[in-house]
Amino acid sequence: MDLRLFPLNTVLFPGMRMPLHIFEERYRVMIRECIEEDAPFGVLLIKAGGEAGSGAVPHDVGTTARILQVEYLEDGRMNIFTMGQERFRIVAINTTQPYLRGEVTILDQEPATDSAYAALPRARQLFDDYLKTYLALGDQWTRGIYLPDDPAEAADYIAARMDIGLDAKQELLAQLGPEARLRRELEMIGEMLPDMHGRLVAHLRQKTSGFGVLN
C-alpha cells in the first residue's frame, strides 16, 4: 500500500482524534491531495530531526489518519481534524517528493484472548482512578469514564489518554497484542498512582489552607 507520510512529535492511536495546523507548503500539497482523493495519510513519531524543515527520521510503526474536517485559512494554511484508523509498518520510504511517501503494510491486531477480556474490569477500575486523579490535580473532574468493551480498543483508548513519554506511547503502539498492551498500561498506571495520590493530597491541603489560592 502506498501512503503519504507525516512525521510528527506525537503518537496517534486508532480511534484517537487529532487536530493539526498545516502551514508548510509541502504538507499543504500533501493534504490537498488527500482531500481530493479522499485518501488517508500516515502519522509517524519522529525518531530524529524536527517537524519543520526536512530531514525528519520517523519510527517504522504508525497509524493511518482519515481527514474528517477542514478549515481553510489565509495563504493556503489549513486546520484539519483527523481520526486515527489502522496501524501500519513502513516497508520502504520514497524521498523523491517534497514530502515522504512510503510503501507500507497494514498491521492486524492479534486476537483478543479470554484473559484479555478478563483484564477489562481491572483496567476500568485503575484507569478510572488514574483519570480522576489526573484531572483533580488540574482542578478538573469527570463523573466517570467510558472504556470500550473490546480489549484492543480499550487498550488504545487508555494509551491515547495516559500522560506518559512519547517513547512509551510508541512502545504501546507497536505492541499488537491487546492483552500485553493492557497489562503494560496497568503496570504503568500502578507505578504512577501512589505519587499522583500523594501530590493530590498535598494539592488539596494547599487549597484548603488558603496558600497558593488566587482570589
Side-chain angles (χ1 to χ4, degrees):
M1 174 183 177
D2 179 63
L3 189 67
R4 297 170 178 89
L5 302 176
F6 202 157
L8 291 167
N9 285 315
T10 191
V11 177
L12 178 66
F13 286 88
M16 177 181 170
R17 299 182 180 188
M18 182 178 68
L20 287 171
H21 177 62
I22 310 300
F23 61 93
E24 279 195 80
E25 179 58 31
R26 56 180 171 158
Y27 291 123
R28 296 183 198 178
V29 172
M30 186 188 84
I31 295 302
R32 284 197 297 266
E33 291 174 354
C34 288
I35 293 169
E36 290 169 2
E37 300 174 20
D38 191 25
F41 61 92
V43 173
L44 294 150
L45 175 65
I46 293 173
K47 185 186 297 185
E51 287 185 352
S54 59
V57 178
H59 285 267
D60 62 350
V61 174
T63 302
T64 60
R66 174 69 63 179
I67 300 171
L68 302 180
Q69 188 176 346
V70 184
E71 178 188 9
Y72 295 95
L73 306 173
E74 297 177 357
D75 304 324
R77 293 176 296 115
M78 290 173 275
N79 289 326
I80 63 173
F81 193 67
T82 70
M83 173 76 79
Q85 292 188 306
E86 299 177 291
R87 284 171 169 81
F88 67 86
R89 186 185 303 277
I90 294 176
V91 177
I93 289 183
N94 180 347
T95 58
T96 60
Q97 299 187 47
Y99 57 82
L100 293 179
R101 292 184 82 121
E103 182 64 27
V104 309
T105 181
I106 298 299
L107 298 175
D108 294 326
Q109 296 269 351
E110 295 174 8
T113 60
D114 289 343
S115 54
Y117 280 96
L120 281 176
R122 178 62 173 161
R124 284 193 177 92
Q125 178 186 15
L126 267 187
F127 183 60
D128 183 87
D129 189 358
Y130 169 83
L131 187 59
K132 287 178 178 177
T133 304
Y134 179 82
L135 291 174
L137 284 166
D139 294 321
Q140 302 177 66
W141 68 281
T142 182
R143 184 169 291 136
I145 66 157
Y146 160 81
L147 198 63
D149 293 326
D150 177 81
E153 293 178 9
D156 284 345
Y157 187 93
I158 292 172
R161 289 158 180 81
M162 288 174 65
D163 186 17
I164 55 177
L166 291 175
D167 287 341
K169 283 185 178 278
Q170 182 65 32
E171 172 196 333
L172 293 172
L173 183 70
Q175 173 55 256
L176 301 181
E179 181 183 359
R181 203 155 69 248
L182 269 176
R183 294 198 181 283
R184 178 64 182 131
E185 289 164 358
L186 297 185
E187 181 181 284
M188 291 179 181
I189 290 174
E191 291 171 354
M192 290 187 288
L193 273 177
D195 176 68
M196 291 174 67
H197 288 157
R199 287 190 288 123
L200 181 58
V201 169
H203 176 69
L204 295 176
R205 184 181 296 121
Q206 185 183 49
K207 286 186 67 176
T208 56
S209 67
F211 293 107
V213 176
L214 297 177
N215 296 313

